Amino acid sequence: MLTILQKEFNAFLNSPVAYVVLGVFLIATGLFVWVFPDSSVLDYGYADLQTLFNLAPWIFLFLIPAITMRTFAEEKKAGTIELLLTRPLTDGQIIGGKYLACFILALLALIPTLLYYFSVYKLGNPEGNIDSAATVGSYLGLALLAAVFAAIGILASALTRDQIIAFLVAVVGCFLVYSGFDSLASVLEGGPAYYVSQLGIAAHYRDLSKGLIDSRDLVYFFSVVAVALQATRLALRSRNW
């Protein structure tokens, strides 16, 4: 699996995709957090990074499918998937290597935003007047969100040989899992609305953003990742059906 991970990660670094993804993410978040007056921390008057944590999931919704769309679709189109699958590697090792490469690249996009935290920490009055627990929870939520989106993107790429179709399927899948259940819950009332909202990512992401790291939220994210990767394995096995 490490060989696949290294191969995929090197392929990302040798292509413009990685740099476009990192650049678009940092420019977009930087503009909204520091420049645009309606969302700028400097004009907002409160020492927090809620703008970043509200915006990042929507940017990830497009950028992570852009990272994952080539993983299996390109191999299928180029005809190298059969060569890859005949190597002494299990399907799990191939999927795991490609998945981790995409996930790590998404995490790399988050690392520079730590400068935002330290800047707001210094600008607070008094210095350090920022809810660090909520910030840590929000970063954990973003990392888990990226893990789920990467798993859905890998699954979409395994279903087709066309990268554009893989991208569109992944965007729709990520949107439905992130916001679809929340939207459906908004038209319901009472207990059903609560249970429907719990099926989506948004409810669990909001809980983590408050600094409340609950094991039920962690189990939810890991379960969605496991289901998506298992579905990817079934999609690859379907070649033998």
Side-chain angles (χ1 to χ4, degrees), residues 53-91:
F53 298 125
N54 288 339
L55 178 66
W58 295 102
I59 300 178
F60 271 173
L61 196 147
F62 293 97
L63 292 188
I64 293 180
I67 294 172
T68 58
M69 65 182 185
R70 57 171 291 279
T71 48
F72 284 107
E74 186 181 61
E75 300 262 17
K76 287 184 176 181
K77 189 171 184 178
T80 56
I81 187 68
E82 295 300 332
L83 179 62
L84 178 63
L85 294 174
T86 55
R87 291 188 175 184
L89 295 168
T90 65
D91 290 352

Side-chain angles (χ1 to χ4, degrees), residues 38-228:
D38 290 339
S39 56
S40 170
V41 173
L42 301 176
D43 294 332
Y44 189 52
Y46 293 97
D48 69 34
L49 288 173
Q50 203 55 46
T51 299
L52 169 66
F53 298 125
N54 288 339
L55 178 66
W58 295 102
I59 300 178
F60 271 173
L61 196 147
F62 293 97
L63 292 188
I64 293 180
I67 294 172
T68 58
M69 65 182 185
R70 57 171 291 279
T71 48
F72 284 107
E74 186 181 61
E75 300 262 17
K76 287 184 176 181
K77 189 171 184 178
T80 56
I81 187 68
E82 295 300 332
L83 179 62
L84 178 63
L85 294 174
T86 55
R87 291 188 175 184
L89 295 168
T90 65
D91 290 352
Q93 290 173 323
I94 295 172
I95 295 169
K98 288 178 176 289
Y99 169 73
L100 287 177
C102 296
F103 177 52
I104 291 172
L105 185 59
L107 291 183
L108 287 179
L110 288 176
I111 292 176
T113 65
L114 292 175
L115 289 174
Y116 300 171
Y117 169 76
F118 290 111
S119 299
V120 173
Y121 183 92
K122 289 291 185 182
L123 290 172
N125 186 18
E127 182 178 307
N129 184 25
I130 182 172
D131 189 344
S132 295
T135 303
V136 171
S138 295
Y139 269 110
L140 176 61
L142 275 183
L144 293 171
L145 183 81
V148 171
F149 283 2
I152 292 173
I154 288 281
L155 171 60
S157 187
L159 294 174
T160 178
R161 61 176 61 235
D162 189 307
Q163 293 189 41
I164 301 302
I165 294 176
F167 172 78
L168 295 175
V169 170
V171 169
V172 172
C174 291
F175 174 79
L176 291 176
V177 175
Y178 178 67
S179 182
F181 290 105
D182 230 28
S183 300
L184 178 60
S186 66
V187 300
L188 300 175
E189 295 181 354
Y194 170 77
Y195 291 112
V196 170
S197 69
Q198 290 299 304
L199 294 175
I201 294 176
H204 300 276
Y205 178 68
R206 283 196 296 269
D207 290 343
L208 289 173
S209 297
K210 296 173 185 173
L212 303 173
I213 302 177
D214 192 306
S215 59
R216 288 171 295 185
D217 296 321
L218 301 181
V219 168
Y220 169 84
F221 281 104
F222 291 138
S223 298
V224 177
V225 170
V227 169

Side-chain angles (χ1 to χ4, degrees), residues 15-32 55 59-60 63 67 105-106 108-110 112-113 116:
S15 75
V17 174
Y19 304 101
V20 170
V21 167
L22 296 176
V24 169
F25 181 80
L26 294 175
I27 291 173
T29 55
L31 288 174
F32 277 95
L55 178 66
I59 300 178
F60 271 173
L63 292 188
I67 294 172
L105 185 59
L108 287 179
L110 288 176
T113 65
Y116 300 171

